[in-house]
């Protein structure tokens, strides 16, 4: 969080050497960061031929992964998260990087009255695949999901 309490948007277009369309940005761990990340994803997908077919599922998956990083990553104040999007073979890879080593886990089924606890169920339902891995640059993890035009797996 910045001193003003607003999420900082450190967006940087990312151009891998292999020509695959990609984007990455650093965001504050702030409750509004999911909104900022979804806005970046909309802009990214609108610039990709056929990208709008991935818009709805991609935004839902990204919003859940960013919200989890903000809420559940138990790290010291001031730590940022990073988001990265990459298109390959009509599929969107979404990554959320944080410095917590806590593994994401799908909770038991939420009760009807619960206001949280469904995020990773949603990610699983809308993604072709999802998972996590250690960050190669050091501390923390990358939670990723692969979204395709055919929707999630059944």
């Amino acid at each position: 969080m910045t001193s003003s309490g607003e999420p900082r948007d450190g967006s940087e277009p990312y151009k891998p050497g292999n020509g695959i369309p990609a984007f990455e940005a650093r965001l504050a761990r702030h409750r509004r960061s999911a909104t900022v990340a979804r806005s970046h994803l909309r802009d990214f997908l609108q610039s990709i031929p056929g990208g709008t077919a991935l818009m709805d599922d991609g935004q839902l998956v990204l919003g859940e992964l960013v919200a989890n990083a903000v809420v559940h990553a138990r790290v010291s104040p001031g730590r940022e998260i990073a988001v990265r999007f990459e298109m390959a073979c009509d599929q969107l890879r979404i990554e959320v990087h944080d410095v917590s080593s806590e593994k994401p886990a799908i909770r038991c089924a939420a009760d009807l009255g619960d206001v949280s606890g469904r995020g990773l169920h949603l990610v699983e339902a809308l993604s072709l695949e999802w998972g996590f891995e250690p960050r190669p640059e050091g501390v923390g993890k990358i939670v990723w999901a692969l979204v395709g035009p055919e929707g999630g797996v059944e």
Side-chain angles (χ1 to χ4, degrees):
M1 183 186 314
T2 63
S3 59
S4 68
E6 294 296 315
R8 186 179 70 80
D9 178 6
S11 61
E12 301 172 16
Y14 175 72
K15 304 280 189 197
N18 58 10
I20 294 174
F23 174 87
E24 61 184 32
R26 298 182 68 78
L27 304 169
R29 280 187 56 244
H30 189 279
R31 60 186 170 85
R32 294 188 194 121
S33 291
T35 301
V36 174
R38 285 190 302 266
S39 175
H40 286 309
L41 182 61
R42 281 191 303 275
D43 292 344
F44 174 73
L45 289 175
Q46 288 172 348
S47 72
I48 307 289
T52 56
L54 306 171
M55 191 84 66
D56 292 339
D57 289 353
Q59 287 184 94
L60 285 168
V61 168
L62 176 62
E64 292 299 333
L65 295 181
V66 170
N68 282 351
V70 169
V71 172
H72 299 294
R74 302 193 195 306
V75 298
S76 58
R79 291 291 197 157
E80 294 178 317
I81 59 173
V83 295
R84 185 172 188 284
F85 323 129
E86 181 176 289
M87 285 294 299
C89 301
D90 296 329
Q91 295 178 343
L92 170 67
R93 180 178 169 99
I94 296 170
E95 296 179 1
V96 177
H97 301 230
D98 67 51
V99 295
S100 170
S101 58
E102 186 175 329
K103 297 176 182 180
I106 294 180
R107 293 191 209 171
C108 295
D111 290 330
L112 291 176
D114 291 345
V115 294
S116 66
R118 295 175 181 85
L120 290 179
H121 289 284
L122 184 61
V123 170
E124 187 169 69
L126 296 175
S127 301
L128 300 171
E129 296 179 65
W130 76 277
F132 66 95
E133 57 199 48
R135 290 175 64 218
E137 60 272 2
V139 139
K141 67 183 171 301
I142 300 167
V143 182
W144 58 268
L146 192 61
V147 177
E150 61 277 9
V153 293
E154 306 236 347

